Amino acid sequence: MSFQDTDSAVLDADTQNAIDVDRTKGDFKFPENHKFDAGWGLTSATVDYISDVKDDPDWVREFRHKALAVFESKKTPTNWATTDLDNIDFDKIRYYLSDGQKPKRSWDEVPPEVLETFERLGIPQQERAFLAGVEAQYDSEATYSNMKEELSKQGVIFVTSAEGLKEHEEIFRPYFGKVIPTGDNKYSALNSAVFSGGSFIYIPKGVKLKQPLQAYFRINSESFGQFERTLIIADEGSEVMYMEGCTAPKFETATLHSAVVELVALKGAKIQYVTVQNWSSNVFNLVTKRGLAMEDAEVRWIDCNIGSRLTMKYPGVIMKGEGARGEVISIALANTGQHQDTGAKMIHAANNTTSNVVSKSISIGEGRSTYRGQVHIPKHLKGCKNNTECDALLINSNSRTDTYPAITVKGNRHATQHEASVSQVSEEMLFYMQQRGLDQGQAMSLAVNGFINELVREFPMEYSVELKRLIDLEMEGSVG
Amino acid sequence: MPFRVHSLSNFLHMSLHIQDLHASLENGTEILRGVTLEIPAGEIHAIMGPNGSGKSTLSKVIASHKSYLPTAGKITMDGKDISEMSIDERSRAGIFLAFQYPNEVPGVSNANFIRAALQSRLPKGQDIDAVGYYKSLYEKMDLLEMDRKFTARAVNEGFSGGEKKRNEILQMMMLDPKYCIMDETDSGLDIDALKIVAKGVNAMRSPDRGMLLITHYQRLLDYIKPDHVHVMSEGRIVKSGGPELALELEEKGYDFLKEPALA
């Protein structure tokens, strides 16, 4: 399905301001100060440089080199995805930048400009207020990583991926690259070759974290690629919520962010992964995220994409154990100059598994939203359920939205339903709201807020506040 | 009060005054062809007329709907020309339009919507007192026999025709406008709902407020007594009179307008 509005109404400046995203908070940078710089372009020497700096074990170095070969062998997927991908010049990107410092356990030890960066983004404040642990990544490496002491005593591990693969190889290695194989797609292969940063989390059996763990990804350097790698393992009956945020200053040149995130929820475990993506509008954000849910386990992706030039991200859940549940709740906002190409993959691989996808996209100006969904239920299974809802809201003429749902259900012992809608903030609705006294911007804000309201409630309270600020609906005090 | 100056507003020229108003669609079709009508504060006027006579268009032009271009004439409110005012400026200045077909605003609760509308009338930095707001809201909902659950429901979403119309009257009561224009508020209402809506409108009668009822049928005027009745046909007011004119129309139908004597 493809929808394009042909009306040529143009928003006035107030309206545009009111619905525009506040990018000012993340739009600042400090001079680069790198001890280690892998230089421009990507060759096997780049991979060796990264492996040398990070002092990788041999198996990791080998993993990287194999991945580089896969990356080079894979074509850019412009046969189905946007040709904007061709504008990424892999020779004009720097693949590793760091100051060579280990992540600090205390903000006091973090370099002043880095500390100032994260303070301006509110991270230490949030940590004190409601987080169980924080990792803050600055360009290629984490600069800060800390978790409440009581959690260490319970056996919770929350470290960088580099530390995870070295210090906890016995837990890390069996799952690393198993949920998302290197060759899953060109960008997962790229990440596998040059990954640096990201988190490794292990929650022991039965441990239920009351407060979320958070990672914040910050790009400070121009023409840079950030390739964090995250692996979260929730052991039987455990529960964890992980939240990630990200920003970058707006540079003249394109910046690349290509992460791989693997989640493993063992029997009866629950993982919630919350993202508020607010990259500046020149970042290519090509991310692969997938969770594995074993018997009676649950993996929920709560995903909000507001920033970036192009985001391609389809969080997935493989429901491998009987009774497993998978969910993707997603909000995408595409303003002029942005393309949010998002969706969900639900792979049912056991009986009585349940998946739910609710996606809402807002296209503004010339912004473009695409939903791609895949639901797979094979013939030999029974009792599987999927619900997919995707709603698109178009705000003005040039917006475009496409929906590509692919629901493959074999056999007749399953229940699936799919609903899709495209709506507009119509002239008549605006007239109605304005007739009550709201100016056009306020009316538009209220309409957009109403559209995503039901999903915003799914975000943790602290993040829904953040979300409100980010989406900058600027209620102008209208609904307090 | 020992005495009440009913016509104080008249004395100060308090009225919504439509003078020789012409309005066309974008394609040039003229819908209003010289409407002149003065609604002084304190009075209720009714406009009746057949379908397509321009009644609804008049209400939308007063509210500044973009689909209609005023081509001549003017509208003044309490002596002030409102031609240059936007939709929301007119609203905040005191013009309220109760819609014939109220729009849905998905996901926005009634309570938040009305609150946002009230908030838009306050200076920046000043907030509505939530306690007082709900007290006032509940009072009016009680008068209109609306269930409390209504506050949490999204604006007009899944509302019956009667609920939508009651909601319009509730908003009108909450916003306390100087001039109320009600476009076919009676259409689609059963007799019980009509009585409730009329109760709300009658409660708003005030020497400081002018009202314009646009209706197809005499029925509404049994419950809301107008001071003046106007008949509209082909984009003009063709006849004005007292409440008896409505009864005459009911009896004779609109065809009698076509008699040469009226042309």
Side-chain angles (χ1 to χ4, degrees):
Chain A
M1 285 183 283
S2 179
F3 303 91
Q4 184 148 22
D5 192 350
T6 51
D7 194 351
S8 61
V10 173
L11 297 180
D12 63 64
D14 283 350
T15 306
Q16 194 59 52
N17 287 341
I19 57 183
D20 211 352
V21 174
D22 175 12
R23 296 176 204 287
T24 53
K25 193 169 180 180
D27 192 13
F28 61 90
K29 64 170 186 159
F30 287 96
E32 293 181 24
N33 177 23
H34 304 299
K35 187 172 169 201
F36 298 106
D37 179 347
W40 301 82
L42 178 57
T43 64
S44 81
T46 321
V47 168
D48 277 327
Y49 181 90
I50 294 170
S51 266
D52 289 345
V53 172
K54 298 180 80 72
D55 194 20
D56 278 339
D58 289 344
W59 71 270
V60 174
R61 186 183 295 260
E62 198 182 322
F63 177 91
R64 291 182 186 279
H65 279 287
K66 280 186 180 164
L68 179 62
V70 174
F71 168 70
E72 286 169 344
S73 72
K74 281 195 175 284
K75 285 186 179 146
T76 304
T78 45
N79 55 326
W80 59 269
T82 170
T83 52
D84 194 21
L85 288 171
D86 286 333
N87 294 318
I88 303 172
D89 186 343
F90 291 103
D91 294 332
K92 290 187 176 159
I93 288 170
R94 292 179 291 173
Y95 290 80
Y96 183 88
L97 298 170
S98 87
D99 64 2
Q101 301 283 311
K102 282 206 156 62
K104 303 294 189 275
R105 302 290 180 209
S106 158
W107 286 108
D108 296 339
E109 297 166 34
V110 170
E113 74 277 11
V114 179
L115 176 62
E116 194 187 326
T117 296
F118 288 108
E119 276 189 337
R120 282 173 71 168
L121 297 166
I123 310 304
Q125 299 88 318
Q126 288 178 1
E127 180 182 13
R128 284 192 297 273
F130 65 92
L131 297 170
V134 167
E135 182 188 309
Q137 181 164 338
Y138 196 78
D139 290 341
S140 292
E141 296 287 1
T143 184
Y144 173 86
S145 174
N146 196 21
M147 164 176 78
K148 288 190 171 166
E149 211 179 314
E150 64 204 62
L151 297 180
S152 320
K153 285 180 190 157
Q154 291 177 291
V156 175
I157 299 169
F158 178 33
V159 294
T160 64
S161 59
E163 201 177 328
L165 65 87
K166 278 183 219 166
E167 308 296 326
H168 307 281
E169 188 185 331
E170 72 292 351
I171 323 174
F172 185 95
R173 200 169 162 180
Y175 290 105
F176 177 73
K178 298 299 191 300
V179 187
I180 301 171
T182 295
D184 185 80
N185 63 75
K186 187 172 177 71
Y187 308 98
S188 63
L190 172 64
N191 174 282
S192 300
V194 297
F195 73 91
S196 180
S199 312
F200 169 65
I201 294 169
Y202 171 77
I203 314 293
K205 275 185 193 175
V207 173
K208 297 179 180 180
L209 266 59
K210 291 184 189 72
Q211 291 177 305
L213 299 171
Q214 177 174 283
Y216 201 93
F217 299 97
R218 175 69 181 174
I219 291 176
N220 185 64
S221 301
E222 186 156 9
S223 304
F224 167 68
Q226 192 174 57
F227 306 98
E228 88 271 10
R229 180 103 193 181
T230 288
L231 172 61
I232 301 176
I233 299 166
D235 211 331
E236 294 181 8
S238 67
E239 290 179 15
V240 61
M241 178 187 280
Y242 182 85
M243 316 203 301
E244 62 172 2
C246 47
T247 54
K250 188 160 170 39
F251 295 115
E252 293 305 311
T253 58
T255 307
L256 176 60
H257 173 256
S258 188
V260 167
V261 177
E262 297 174 287
L263 309 183
V264 178
L266 297 178
K267 186 178 174 182
K270 287 184 182 176
I271 303 177
Q272 285 198 76
Y273 194 105
V274 182
T275 303
V276 176
Q277 181 269 106
N278 188 30
W279 292 118
S280 56
S281 55
N282 55 339
V283 173
F284 284 92
N285 184 44
L286 311 172
V287 173
T288 311
K289 289 180 164 171
R290 199 169 301 152
L292 183 66
M294 302 308 288
E295 192 180 339
D296 292 323
E298 180 178 290
V299 171
R300 294 183 89 205
W301 298 98
I302 301 174
D303 203 39
C304 180
N305 293 290
I306 296 171
S308 83
R309 164 173 169 172
L310 170 66
T311 282
M312 289 174 65
K313 176 166 48 164
Y314 322 98
V317 184
I318 302 165
M319 287 150 277
K320 206 180 172 192
E322 180 148 8
R325 294 178 302 280
E327 189 163 32
V328 172
I329 302 284
S330 128
I331 296 173
L333 182 87
N335 218 317
T336 300
Q338 291 185 286
H339 183 177
Q340 304 288 7
D341 193 329
T342 60
K345 286 184 182 176
M346 291 298 182
I347 311 299
H348 292 255
N351 290 334
N352 302 314
T353 47
T354 309
S355 60
N356 184 38
V357 178
V358 185
S359 158
K360 291 197 182 243
S361 69
I362 301 152
S363 307
I364 304 165
E366 286 162 24
R368 185 174 167 193
S369 303
T370 304
Y371 172 83
R372 296 178 206 271
Q374 187 187 356
V375 176
H376 180 73
I377 305 178
K379 193 173 180 180
H380 66 275
L381 298 181
K382 60 177 184 186
C384 299
K385 289 180 196 158
N386 166 261
N387 174 59
T388 300
E389 291 169 43
C390 16
D391 299 317
L393 183 71
L394 304 181
I395 297 180
N396 110 8
S397 53
N398 305 317
S399 305
R400 173 168 172 189
T401 184
D402 305 284
T403 305
Y404 305 99
I407 301 181
T408 317
V409 182
K410 302 209 170 116
N412 53 8
R413 296 174 292 182
H414 310 294
T416 60
Q417 59 180 39
H418 175 249
E419 284 175 40
S421 77
V422 178
S423 52
Q424 294 192 44
V425 178
S426 66
E427 285 288 329
E428 290 303 320
M429 194 203 285
L430 282 179
F431 175 65
Y432 184 68
M433 298 170 93
Q434 286 179 265
Q435 211 300 307
R436 299 303 180 247
L438 304 173
D439 65 34
Q440 199 180 357
Q442 291 167 334
M444 196 69 89
S445 299
L446 201 56
V448 171
N449 210 26
F451 176 72
I452 58 170
N453 191 18
E454 150 204 10
L455 294 195
V456 170
R457 279 190 230 131
E458 295 288 332
F459 284 74
M461 203 251 288
E462 294 80 1
Y463 256 38
S464 61
V465 172
E466 171 84 349
L467 205 60
K468 269 206 147 114
R469 185 189 67 73
L470 282 179
I471 294 179
D472 193 26
L473 292 177
E474 257 183 26
M475 299 310 293
E476 294 162 341
S478 55
V479 285
Chain B
M1 268 187 286
F3 81 94
R4 190 169 176 147
V5 185
H6 181 76
S7 57
L8 177 64
S9 46
N10 285 338
F11 176 69
L12 295 170
H13 304 290
M14 302 297 256
S15 73
L16 184 64
H17 196 179
I18 298 148
Q19 296 160 66
D20 191 31
L21 187 65
H22 291 250
S24 302
L25 294 175
E26 272 175 38
N27 66 14
T29 310
E30 192 170 51
I31 310 287
L32 300 184
R33 303 195 295 167
V35 176
T36 296
L37 176 66
E38 182 166 21
I39 304 154
E43 292 186 5
I44 297 186
H45 288 233
I47 290 186
M48 302 182 72
N51 284 331
S53 58
K55 305 186 302 288
S56 282
T57 299
L58 175 62
S59 71
K60 288 184 175 169
V61 173
I62 295 170
S64 191
H65 193 288
K66 283 179 191 154
S67 298
Y68 306 96
L69 306 170
T71 49
K74 65 174 179 177
I75 305 172
T76 59
M77 188 176 136
D78 302 340
K80 186 176 179 253
D81 190 342
I82 63 167
S83 307
E84 297 303 312
M85 289 165 75
S86 66
I87 306 164
D88 48 292
E89 283 167 350
R90 292 182 193 200
S91 165
R92 294 193 298 271
I95 290 176
F96 185 93
L97 174 59
F99 284 53
Q100 182 180 3
Y101 303 110
N103 289 73
E104 295 181 0
V105 188
V108 177
S109 73
N110 268 300
N112 276 349
F113 183 61
I114 296 173
R115 188 166 160 166
L118 283 169
Q119 183 75 53
S120 75
R121 286 155 170 77
L122 297 180
K124 265 202 160 61
Q126 195 178 323
D127 277 331
I128 286 197
D129 162 45
V131 177
Y133 166 68
Y134 275 99
K135 185 170 174 283
S136 164
L137 185 66
Y138 288 152
E139 271 172 20
K140 289 162 178 83
M141 282 168 58
D142 289 348
L143 183 87
L144 295 169
E145 299 177 34
M146 298 170 91
D147 193 285
R148 292 283 158 92
K149 283 187 198 132
F150 162 88
T151 53
R153 290 173 65 188
V155 180
N156 295 325
E157 211 177 25
F159 281 30
S160 70
E163 285 176 320
K164 285 184 183 175
K165 294 298 172 72
R166 260 190 265 185
N167 193 17
E168 293 296 284
I169 303 303
L170 176 70
Q171 291 177 31
M172 189 165 90
M173 296 178 86
M174 289 300 290
L175 296 179
D176 195 22
K178 284 168 94 171
Y179 296 97
C180 306
I181 299 148
M182 285 163 270
D183 187 9
E184 305 221 7
T185 295
D186 53 330
S187 67
L189 292 186
D190 62 31
I191 195 72
D192 292 330
L194 182 64
K195 283 179 181 171
I196 293 167
V197 162
K199 187 165 66 169
V201 175
N202 286 324
M204 291 189 73
R205 271 180 186 262
S206 151
D208 303 319
R209 183 166 12 244
M211 297 198 199
L212 179 62
L213 303 171
I214 291 169
T215 181
H216 212 70
Y217 304 105
Q218 145 71 19
R219 193 179 66 149
L220 176 69
L221 308 182
D222 289 339
Y223 298 96
I224 306 170
K225 288 282 173 225
D227 299 295
H228 298 275
V229 174
H230 311 274
V231 181
M232 198 160 173
S233 178
E234 295 180 359
R236 290 190 189 96
I237 305 278
V238 293
K239 195 170 169 71
S240 296
E244 73 287 347
L245 180 57
L247 295 166
E248 192 182 349
L249 275 174
E250 183 82 352
E251 195 185 316
K252 297 184 183 168
Y254 290 112
D255 281 347
F256 93 99
L257 297 172
K258 290 177 183 158
E259 287 167 24
L262 285 161

